[in-house]
Amino acid sequence: MPCRVTRTTLRSMTHFPPPAEELRLLDAELRQLDARRSQLLTRRAWLVAALQQTRQQSRPWASAQPPITASPRPETAAPSVQNVLLVLGGVLLTLAAAVFTLVSWGHMGIAGRALVLGAVTLATLATPVALLKRGLRSTAESVAGLGLALTVLDAYALHAAALSGTDGTGYAAAASAVLAAAWSAYGLLPATSALRLPLPSALASAQLPLLLWALAADVSPYLITAALLVTAGLDAVAAARLTAGAVRITAVVGAYGMGGWGVLGAGWLSLTAGGPGDASRAGALLLLAAAIALGAALRGPGVGHALGLAITAGLLAVGAFGGVARSGLPSEWVVPAHLALGVALLAAVRAGRLPEAMRTGFGWASGAVQALAVLWTLPVVAVVLLGPAGWLGRVWSGAPSDARAAVVVDAPWPPDAVAAPLVLVIVAGVLALAVRAQEWRPRARLGALGLLWATALILPAVLEIPYAAGLLVLGVMTAAALCACRVTASAAQVTALVLALVTAAGLTLVSLASQSATLVVLSALTVLFGAASWRAGVAPFTAPAALVYAAALASASGAAADWPAARTALLVLLVPAAAALLAARLGPSRATVPVEAVGAALGLFAVALAVTDPPLLALVLSLCGVIAAGTALRADRRPVGYAATALFVLAAWVRLAAWDVGTPEAYTLPVTVPALLLGALRRRRDPQASSWTAYGPGLAATLVPSLVAAWGDPHWTRPLLLGLAALLVTLLGARHHLRSPLVLGGAVLALVTLHELAPYVVQVTGALPRWAPPALAGLLLLALGATYEQRIRDVRRVREVLGRMN
């Protein structure tokens, strides 16, 4: 192959790595270069240090010179130091001028005073012009502040020297107005327009003239409040016209500050108005404040600013007209009047010409008024709901005269409650009709439903209808709420269910005043909640409620029949039995567990009722055991069988105690026999189960108490029977190679034998000489020592035999 062909071919076959591989190679090369550079820098530093050491050794005088160190970094910047010095200098000069004015002013004549005033003030105010031309703006600001402070001192000095006879408050008003005008003119001059201090100071001084003039003229509080509001309005106009900066911030602060004090004053005047005239004047002030807030909202720079001012304007308008209406209406209609004004704000919300922020603000203001009106009705609702609880201490003391007397047992009836239903109905209507937003409409309807329910709840007490009619109204409300639970919406279903439960509880409390009413109400509630339980969505709540009311009906029926509480417990047990049957019928439903839990709780309630009568208590415990045993027949409720066994044992013990039986075997054998049967059943199903687990608890339940009783029994019958029983258990354990019966039976047999032979051992010991017991003990030790190895072999053999047993 020719040479040029080979070179051309190799050039075309040169390998170019992919970008990722090439990047990796470049990074590796750069790392090597960095490592080499660091090595070279380290070597250079060492060489420099070596050369310096060599030079110092060759020039000893160089070591006496101090080492050159870097200058420390300044902790404070130069502009900060400059500002601190300027501010401090201005403050010190102001204090010096104040001391001169207050102390040394009286030692000079009129001409000297005027000369000093003119010279110092003019010089101070003219100095910033020259400083600004030189570019010293911060210094000019400090000197200008000193000049403004000097004008205030000049005004004070003028009053103290030449106008001391004038009214101080009126002079202060005039002086503040003159100073505001002078400072404004000074700040607007072309030469001093760059200064930032004069105009905010002028605006701050402008807050005082109107208020001080009103105070100096000794006018009524209405005019003083008007002065505050007018000042706030002027501040609002200034804030709307001025650009962003210190002047506008001062105007905003003044508007909110003076306006806030003005609103507080107008509100206090409206609340304390003695007649329509005073209320009208206070209302006019509130409307003025509302107009200022509304104008500021129209000129506001942001949506949030306009929204807050629109809410304030709406509330002030309601307060203004409401205060006028309050002066001419009875007290019970004051809140409805304010509510009507709040609802009227919604007309402004519907107006399309207003900005969106203002319409939203009026809507929030209307909502706030309605919420306050609803809060006003809460005491009435609370008395109607919680007041009937007083009948718990006066059960069946007699039916009251009307529905109000039925709820007012120990609590006072709230004043002016006659308008509460009207307030609730109006707010419910607004929620149902005025809210049109799709995301809020379902919630508004639920709120309207709750308010209508509260209206129907308090209406019988407000109207003082007869007691039976009030019960009927509550019953109809409960039935209607349970029927409303059939709606598909989950939120509405939960709301209706809560209303039904609360109404039923109130109805039950109210019915406690009369025996016949209690029986009728509890029967009706049992039927209503039982019928509502057919719907699976609410069954976890209505089915337990039906069981509770059924138990309450059983208790009330027993009390109406003059049965003792223990006998009534038998009637109450019908409800847990029905709950067990219902739970078996429901199967895996969500209502199964609540029904079973309520049934168990009612069973405990029945036991508590029967605790004073031991024979009936034993019967109740037995019946509870039967119910638990029936529940344990279900495949998913097998563990309930342990509870059934415990209940049967408790029932047997209570019955024995009622018969004054003191023999412990009478109490232990009812436990031992079922335990041994269960152990035998378990061993049959699981042959590998330990005999200690299967038979140990049952045998110990009888053998241990009987052994304790036998050791304190002076007769021979119990030890004999116990020994025979222990022998039988031991033989059975040996026959079937069971460790538990063998050990327990053998131990009890040995202890019983020791107990029976103890008197003879004592007698023999007393007949022997004193040296005999030690001798016998020594012989025993020798025998044990001689046969130690054989004993160990025997023990090992016995251990092997026991190990082969289960």
Side-chain angles (χ1 to χ4, degrees):
M1 180 180 294
C3 181
R4 62 177 183 272
V5 176
T6 305
R7 187 179 299 110
T8 304
T9 305
L10 292 176
R11 187 183 299 112
S12 62
M13 295 176 62
T14 300
H15 174 67
F16 292 98
E21 181 67 20
E22 186 176 1
L23 180 61
R24 187 186 65 80
L25 295 174
L26 290 177
D27 290 340
E29 293 291 337
L30 289 174
R31 283 195 296 270
Q32 293 178 1
L33 291 175
D34 290 338
R36 182 59 178 167
R37 185 174 183 275
S38 63
Q39 292 176 358
L40 294 175
L41 289 175
T42 303
R43 181 62 179 174
R44 181 183 182 279
W46 184 85
L47 292 174
V48 170
L51 289 174
Q52 290 180 353
Q53 185 176 4
T54 304
R55 291 176 182 176
Q56 289 180 358
Q57 290 176 358
S58 62
R59 294 182 295 174
W61 54 269
S63 60
Q65 296 181 356
I68 301 175
T69 58
S71 59
R73 180 183 178 183
E75 296 182 355
T76 306
S80 301
V81 176
Q82 166 195 306
N83 294 333
V84 170
L85 294 177
L86 291 176
V87 172
L88 184 60
V91 171
L92 292 178
L93 288 176
T94 303
L95 293 176
V99 172
F100 171 78
T101 304
L102 297 176
V103 178
S104 301
W105 181 255
H107 300 289
M108 301 179 64
I110 297 177
R113 299 173 187 176
L115 183 61
V116 171
L117 276 172
V120 175
T121 304
L122 291 177
T124 304
L125 293 177
T127 301
V129 178
L131 294 174
L132 288 174
K133 290 181 179 180
R134 293 179 177 271
L136 303 176
R137 181 172 179 176
S138 298
T139 307
E141 291 285 354
S142 299
V143 176
L146 175 61
L148 298 180
L150 287 176
T151 57
V152 178
L153 294 175
D154 292 342
Y156 169 76
L158 180 63
H159 179 267
L163 302 174
S164 59
T166 60
D167 178 60
T169 306
Y171 178 80
S176 60
V178 172
L179 288 176
W183 292 349
S184 299
Y186 181 72
L188 294 174
L189 291 175
T192 57
S193 60
L195 297 175
R196 293 176 293 180
L197 188 59
L199 291 180
S201 301
L203 192 56
S205 179
Q207 308 298 315
L208 301 177
L210 290 179
L211 177 60
L212 294 178
W213 273 332
L215 294 175
D218 196 15
V219 296
S220 64
Y222 296 94
L223 292 179
I224 296 175
T225 305
L228 290 171
L229 293 176
V230 170
T231 304
L234 295 176
D235 289 332
V237 173
R241 292 183 176 274
L242 295 174
T243 58
V247 183
R248 189 178 185 280
I249 293 175
T250 305
V252 172
V253 172
Y256 278 107
M258 303 299 285
W261 283 109
V263 169
L264 290 177
W268 177 256
L269 292 174
S270 178
L271 291 175
T272 58
D278 295 341
S280 299
R281 287 191 289 272
L285 293 174
L286 290 174
L287 287 178
L288 175 60
I292 294 172
L294 195 59
L298 290 173
R299 300 285 184 176
V303 177
H305 178 80
L307 178 62
L309 290 175
I311 294 174
T312 304
L315 294 176
L316 290 175
V318 172
F321 291 108
V324 176
R326 183 174 58 252
S327 62
L329 289 175
S331 59
E332 61 268 16
W333 297 107
V334 172
V335 174
H338 283 79
L339 178 59
L341 294 171
V343 175
L345 283 176
L346 296 177
V349 177
R350 300 300 180 190
R353 297 181 180 180
L354 295 177
E356 179 66 24
M358 292 187 62
R359 290 192 286 114
T360 304
F362 286 156
W364 280 104
S366 176
V369 174
Q370 296 177 55
L372 292 174
V374 172
L375 287 177
W376 176 76
T377 64
L378 287 184
V380 184
V381 178
V383 168
V384 174
L385 282 176
L386 304 178
W391 292 111
L392 293 173
R394 308 177 187 180
V395 177
W396 296 352
S397 59
S401 58
D402 52 46
R404 182 179 298 183
V407 299
V408 181
V409 183
D410 296 323
W413 182 250
D416 302 333
V418 65
L422 178 62
V423 169
L424 294 174
V425 169
I426 292 176
V427 178
V430 171
L431 289 176
L433 301 176
V435 179
R436 298 182 180 180
Q438 294 297 328
E439 63 272 15
W440 289 100
R441 189 167 181 80
R443 304 175 187 177
R445 288 182 175 180
L446 291 180
L449 177 62
L451 293 176
L452 291 177
W453 169 81
T455 304
L457 184 69
I458 67 174
L459 194 59
V462 172
L463 299 179
E464 297 182 89
I465 65 176
Y467 173 68
L471 292 177
L472 181 60
V473 170
L474 293 177
V476 171
M477 289 175 59
T478 305
L482 290 175
C483 290
C485 292
R486 304 180 68 86
V487 297
T488 56
S490 58
Q493 189 179 77
V494 172
T495 303
L497 179 60
V498 171
L499 296 181
L501 293 173
V502 174
T503 309
L507 176 59
T508 303
L509 293 175
V510 172
S511 68
L512 294 178
S514 172
Q515 175 178 323
S516 57
T518 302
L519 296 175
V520 172
V521 166
L522 292 177
S523 301
L525 291 177
T526 303
V527 173
L528 286 176
F529 280 94
S533 301
W534 287 102
R535 184 171 181 82
V538 296
F541 304 96
T542 56
L547 294 175
V548 170
Y549 285 116
L553 176 62
S555 301
S557 300
D562 293 331
W563 286 4
R567 185 181 299 179
T568 305
L570 298 175
L571 192 59
V572 173
L573 276 180
L574 296 175
V575 181
L581 295 176
L582 179 61
R585 179 70 175 82
L586 292 174
S589 173
R590 292 190 301 116
T592 303
V593 174
V595 167
E596 290 177 339
V598 171
L602 293 178
L604 293 177
F605 174 66
V607 171
L609 289 177
V611 74
T612 57
D613 191 343
L616 280 177
L617 177 60
L619 179 58
V620 170
L621 289 171
S622 301
L623 294 176
C624 290
V626 171
I627 297 173
T631 303
L633 294 177
R634 294 160 51 191
D636 55 341
R637 294 293 186 268
R638 298 300 187 194
V640 183
Y642 297 105
T645 303
L647 288 171
F648 285 129
V649 171
L650 288 175
W653 287 357
V654 171
R655 172 54 65 183
L656 292 173
W659 288 336
D660 295 329
V661 175
T663 304
E665 290 79 9
Y667 296 90
T668 57
L669 285 176
V671 178
T672 297
V673 173
L676 293 178
L677 292 177
L678 291 176
L681 182 60
R682 180 174 181 179
R683 288 273 300 176
R684 177 176 297 181
R685 293 182 177 179
D686 184 11
Q688 301 300 324
S690 174
S691 62
W692 287 105
T693 305
Y695 303 114
L699 292 175
T702 295
L703 293 178
V704 174
S706 298
L707 179 62
V708 174
W711 273 70
D713 193 350
H715 305 286
W716 60 270
T717 308
R718 185 189 301 276
L720 178 60
L721 295 177
L722 180 59
L724 293 176
L727 179 61
L728 179 61
V729 170
T730 304
L731 294 176
L732 289 175
R735 171 66 179 81
H736 297 283
H737 302 281
L738 298 175
R739 184 181 303 175
S740 172
L742 182 61
V743 174
L744 288 176
V748 171
L749 181 60
L751 291 175
V752 171
T753 304
L754 178 62
H755 173 266
E756 293 301 315
L757 297 179
Y760 301 100
V761 173
V762 173
Q763 183 178 2
V764 171
T765 304
L768 292 174
R770 294 186 176 180
W771 54 266
L776 293 176
L779 291 175
L780 178 62
L781 291 176
L782 288 176
L784 289 176
T787 59
Y788 185 78
E789 184 177 2
Q790 181 64 32
R791 298 295 183 184
I792 292 177
R793 187 181 298 110
D794 295 340
V795 169
R796 289 177 179 175
R797 187 181 297 109
V798 172
R799 184 182 302 172
E800 293 176 358
V801 173
L802 292 176
R804 289 194 296 268
M805 298 180 182
N806 290 326

